[in-house]
């Protein structure tokens, strides 16, 4: 099903969804940055730039409580957090590089153990994707098999038109349901032309060739060369739409506290530290190698999906200028 929506009506749609009690998340100005944040009204939607952090926080919060405990004279009382309390959510104007990561993450969170917190958020979220009409030098979605107009992961997909509106394609039943419930805000198919899509500078890479090289180069001087600059700060993992490492920690005291799940990163020195004191990845070259191996070999071997969508956030944020796209180009050229 294809419709169009004007920008004023897109903002009105947000107002309507909020009034219905839904949690609406979209790009929003936050100081000098744009972030995916809860919107209280359509006017807050900022369509000007790619948010600094990814949209994975809609499904996988930076920190979440999974149970609480409290001790009294009758004993210790443990209370589980009920995933059913997670609200119905609409993620609006999420870029293809963010949206495409959601079904990638589905695999790991529903594999040997089903993470009901993540899965319940996914079940209760309708995603409205937005095509990219602009790209900067860090964007490389086309290099990893995606595109600025990729609909993967979207329920409803918006493509900017020359008249300032958006062509709207319903991709899934969730998208069709949202269209049907707010039909008065949409019009029939567009007469205006779509704006040209962005053109990332790095073209498609031979990802299978890269996977095969990684399969036979666990020990290679390249890892030392790259990691000589890596600060192990974790910015790349925290900003990435597809990175999903986390830790679970009990916080509090004898009387009460909580068990919380919080983001972690394989680039941190203590990430693989054992209780014995042994650390199998005790130096930065082995940690950076794991980052590349995980994204372009291990996850591919396990789930037949790559753990990178080419958003370029890690490139923009790296304090020492490590460019993962350049690393992939070098491997691809070998």
């Amino acid at each position: 099903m294809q419709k169009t929506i004007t920008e004023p009506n897109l903002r009105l749609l947000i107002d309507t969804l909020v009034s219905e009690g839904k949690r609406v998340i979209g790009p929003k100005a936050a100081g000098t940055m744009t972030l995916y944040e809860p919107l209280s009204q359509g006017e807050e939607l900022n369509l000007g730039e790619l948010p600094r952090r990814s949209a994975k926080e809609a499904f996988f919060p930076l920190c979440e409580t999974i149970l609480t405990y409290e001790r009294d004279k009758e004993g210790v009382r443990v209370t589980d957090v009920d995933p059913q309390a997670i609200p119905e959510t609409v993620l609006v104007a999420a870029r293809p590089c963010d949206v495409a990561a959601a079904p990638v993450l589905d695999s790991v969170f529903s594999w040997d153990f089903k993470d009901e917190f993540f899965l319940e958020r996914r079940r209760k979220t309708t995603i409205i994707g937005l095509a990219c009409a602009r790209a900067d030098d860090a964007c490389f979605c086309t290099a990893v098999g995606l595109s600025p107009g990729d609909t993967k992961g979207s329920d409803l997909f918006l493509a900017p038109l020359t008249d300032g509106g958006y062509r709207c394609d319903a991709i899934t039943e969730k998208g069709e349901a949202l269209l049907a419930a707010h039909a008065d805000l949409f019009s029939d198919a567009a007469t205006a032309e779509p704006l040209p899509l962005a053109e990332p500078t790095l073209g498609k890479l031979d990802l299978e060739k890269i996977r095969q090289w990684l399969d036979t180069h666990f020990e290679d001087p390249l890892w030392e060369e790259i990691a000589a600059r890596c600060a192990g700060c974790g910015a790349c993992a925290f900003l990435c739409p597809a990175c999903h490492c986390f830790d679970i920690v009990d916080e509090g005291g004898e009387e009460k506290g909580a068990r919380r799940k919080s983001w972690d990163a394989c680039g941190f020195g203590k990430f693989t530290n054992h209780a014995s004191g042994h650390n199998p990845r005790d130096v930065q070259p082995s940690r950076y190698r794991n980052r590349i191996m995980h994204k372009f070999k291990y996850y591919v071997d396990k789930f037949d999906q790559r753990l990178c969508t080419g958003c370029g956030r890690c490139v923009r944020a790296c304090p020492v200028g490590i460019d993962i796209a350049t690393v992939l180009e070098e491997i691809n050229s070998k």
Side-chain angles (χ1 to χ4, degrees):
M1 182 188 301
Q2 188 178 98
K3 295 285 185 177
T4 62
I5 188 169
T6 64
E7 184 170 318
N9 275 4
L10 177 60
R11 296 180 186 277
L12 182 56
L13 174 64
I14 293 170
D15 292 339
T16 304
L17 293 168
V18 170
S19 71
E20 293 171 353
K22 293 182 173 61
R23 180 178 67 152
V24 181
I25 296 175
K28 179 180 176 180
T32 59
M33 297 184 291
T34 297
L35 302 174
Y36 287 110
E37 297 245 308
L39 303 174
S40 60
Q41 55 184 345
E43 286 184 3
E44 295 176 336
L45 183 68
N46 183 359
L47 297 170
E49 60 184 77
L50 179 74
R52 181 171 175 81
R53 300 202 303 262
S54 79
K56 71 181 176 186
E57 294 177 56
F59 321 111
F60 178 36
L62 194 150
C63 182
E64 65 180 323
T65 300
I66 57 179
L67 65 81
T68 60
Y69 65 89
E70 187 171 358
R71 188 174 72 170
D72 55 30
K73 60 183 180 181
E74 296 179 1
V76 177
R77 182 170 59 256
V78 176
T79 305
D80 290 323
V81 172
D82 183 6
Q84 298 299 316
I86 292 169
E88 292 283 341
T89 299
V90 180
L91 175 60
V92 180
R95 302 294 175 162
C97 54
D98 284 318
V99 176
V104 172
L105 291 177
D106 288 345
S107 297
V108 73
F109 283 109
S110 61
W111 173 45
D112 57 343
F113 176 81
K114 297 190 183 301
D115 186 320
E116 288 303 324
F117 294 93
F118 175 89
L119 296 175
E120 188 66 11
R121 287 190 180 90
R122 286 284 283 127
R123 282 191 287 266
K124 288 185 173 177
T125 300
T126 299
I127 301 176
I128 302 177
L130 174 64
C132 291
R134 292 185 298 174
D136 64 18
D137 291 342
C139 296
F140 64 101
C141 62
T142 49
V144 292
L146 297 172
S147 79
D150 208 303
T151 63
K152 179 182 178 181
S154 290
D155 298 302
L156 215 58
F157 191 76
L158 306 178
L161 300 172
T162 52
D163 65 359
Y166 300 90
R167 188 187 70 203
C168 183
D169 292 282
I171 310 299
T172 69
E173 290 182 1
K174 279 185 182 179
E176 290 176 356
L178 191 147
L179 268 181
H182 305 91
D184 57 319
L185 297 177
F186 295 86
S187 304
D188 291 332
T191 54
E193 292 295 316
L195 285 176
L197 294 177
E199 295 184 10
T201 55
L202 181 59
K204 188 171 176 59
L205 295 170
D206 188 339
L207 298 172
E208 178 55 25
K209 180 181 177 182
I210 290 171
R211 189 193 68 79
Q212 291 177 3
W213 186 90
L214 293 172
D215 201 28
T216 56
H217 289 79
F218 191 78
E219 301 291 347
D220 193 274
L222 177 65
W223 309 125
E224 293 277 355
E225 178 186 332
I226 299 169
R229 289 187 289 152
C230 182
C233 67
C236 52
F238 277 33
L239 297 179
C240 174
C243 279
H244 53 266
C245 293
F246 63 87
D247 195 5
I248 295 179
V249 178
D250 290 339
E251 301 175 355
E254 280 187 37
E255 303 305 319
K256 61 181 179 179
R259 177 166 294 172
R260 294 195 172 97
K261 180 169 67 176
S262 304
W263 289 0
D264 207 339
C266 63
F268 292 157
K270 293 184 178 180
F271 181 76
T272 50
N273 205 34
H274 294 185
S276 66
H278 173 63
N279 190 339
R281 293 201 291 267
D282 59 344
V283 291
Q284 206 59 32
S286 65
R287 294 191 278 271
Y288 192 82
R289 174 183 62 202
N290 183 72
R291 175 172 175 76
I292 301 298
M293 289 279 194
H294 191 196
K295 288 185 173 296
F296 297 97
K297 175 176 160 51
Y298 302 150
Y299 210 81
V300 182
D301 291 347
K302 184 72 180 177
F303 299 118
D304 196 28
Q305 298 189 87
R306 288 169 190 85
L307 207 57
C308 174
T309 61
C311 71
R313 288 185 177 90
C314 59
V315 180
R316 298 181 195 95
C318 182
V320 295
I322 295 176
D323 185 334
I324 191 173
T326 300
V327 173
L328 295 175
E329 274 191 298
E330 182 173 347
I331 294 173
N332 196 65
S333 67
K334 291 181 181 293

